[in-house]
Amino acid sequence: MEKKEIRKKIVSELKKLDKSTYEQHSFEIAKKLYQLPVWKKANTVALTISRPPEVDTWQIIRSGWLEGKRMVVPKCHPETKQMAFRQITSFTQLESVYFGLYEPKEDETDEVRQQELDLIIVPGVAFNFYGYRIGFGGGYYDRYLQHFNGETMSLAFSLQLCQVLPVEKHDIPVKAIMTEKDYFSF
């Protein structure tokens, strides 16, 4: 199957998750994340602001703040297809942009350089058992990760795991995937 077909199929399956299952699975994933050495060692964590049916990252941001971590979220620049991570210290520093996505307000947040990031939690729709993923189609993360040498991982519901995914030469795998059931390290 092509990436578009897989994306459509997985999103359709994700939308079937009831609220209780979505919340419980997101909680289980976050709880397991907090036990990992990669989380405990990270001072600066980069991740997107989720929207259902993605694994909930709002609770992860709150926990990071409570632990004194610097939490940074992406600001995408569609005209250049690039993104930069900016530190947020409050959800009021976010604004709704295209497709209902939340991004940091540039006039209220500071950009954080790539070499300052300890862990990037990379979003995606579908994942294989080698760390490759199908994202949401913009290619922002593959471009950003080309020159990133730090820790990367993805958070996913187990139904997002696929035996086979088409992989292109520009695709960059993550180093680990956490689901509500399992942890895979590559």
Side-chain angles (χ1 to χ4, degrees):
M1 289 188 351
E2 287 187 32
K3 285 186 176 186
K4 282 182 183 175
E5 293 173 53
I6 294 169
R7 191 179 288 121
K8 185 177 178 181
K9 178 180 177 272
I10 298 291
V11 167
S12 172
E13 290 298 311
L14 286 169
K15 287 182 177 177
K16 293 177 187 174
L17 286 175
D18 62 77
K19 174 101 170 129
S20 300
T21 302
Y22 167 80
E23 290 293 339
Q24 187 62 36
H25 286 353
S26 288
F27 172 71
E28 294 296 331
I29 290 167
K31 187 170 72 169
K32 289 162 66 175
L33 170 67
Y34 307 145
Q35 301 309 309
L36 293 176
V38 69
W39 170 266
K40 290 179 178 181
K41 287 190 305 194
N43 293 314
T44 302
V45 178
L47 72 174
T48 58
I49 301 292
S50 64
R51 60 184 182 150
E54 297 173 271
V55 172
D56 176 24
T57 60
W58 296 75
Q59 65 178 318
I60 293 168
I61 293 168
R62 284 185 200 98
S63 292
W65 287 337
L66 288 172
E67 291 183 31
K69 294 182 184 299
R70 181 163 62 157
M71 304 304 286
V72 301
V73 298
K75 174 69 179 168
C76 294
H77 302 284
E79 63 285 353
T80 61
K81 292 279 193 192
Q82 301 295 315
M83 71 177 181
F85 284 97
R86 305 183 73 82
Q87 181 178 0
I88 61 167
T89 56
S90 166
F91 290 126
T92 61
Q93 295 171 320
L94 300 172
E95 61 185 342
S96 181
V97 292
Y98 51 89
F99 305 120
L101 296 171
Y102 282 93
E103 290 190 346
K105 297 175 185 174
E106 290 188 89
D107 60 339
E108 293 183 25
T109 58
D110 294 322
E111 186 172 336
V112 176
R113 296 187 330 262
Q114 190 178 63
Q115 57 268 31
E116 296 176 61
L117 305 179
D118 299 311
L119 170 63
I120 299 179
I121 297 175
V122 182
V125 176
F127 304 86
N128 71 11
F129 293 92
Y130 301 98
Y132 286 96
R133 57 185 254 299
I134 293 177
F136 292 89
Y140 288 93
Y141 275 85
D142 284 321
R143 279 187 287 282
Y144 193 86
L145 294 174
Q146 283 178 337
H147 307 291
F148 181 70
N149 296 318
E151 296 295 330
T152 59
M153 73 178 305
S154 290
L155 308 177
F157 299 116
S158 54
L159 67 85
Q160 293 175 266
L161 297 175
C162 302
Q163 288 294 331
V164 179
L165 283 184
V167 176
E168 300 174 59
K169 67 178 176 199
H170 67 267
D171 291 340
I172 297 181
V174 293
K175 296 178 181 175
I177 298 173
M178 175 72 74
T179 74
E180 74 279 6
K181 296 177 183 174
D182 297 297
Y183 175 71
F184 304 95
S185 181
F186 314 105

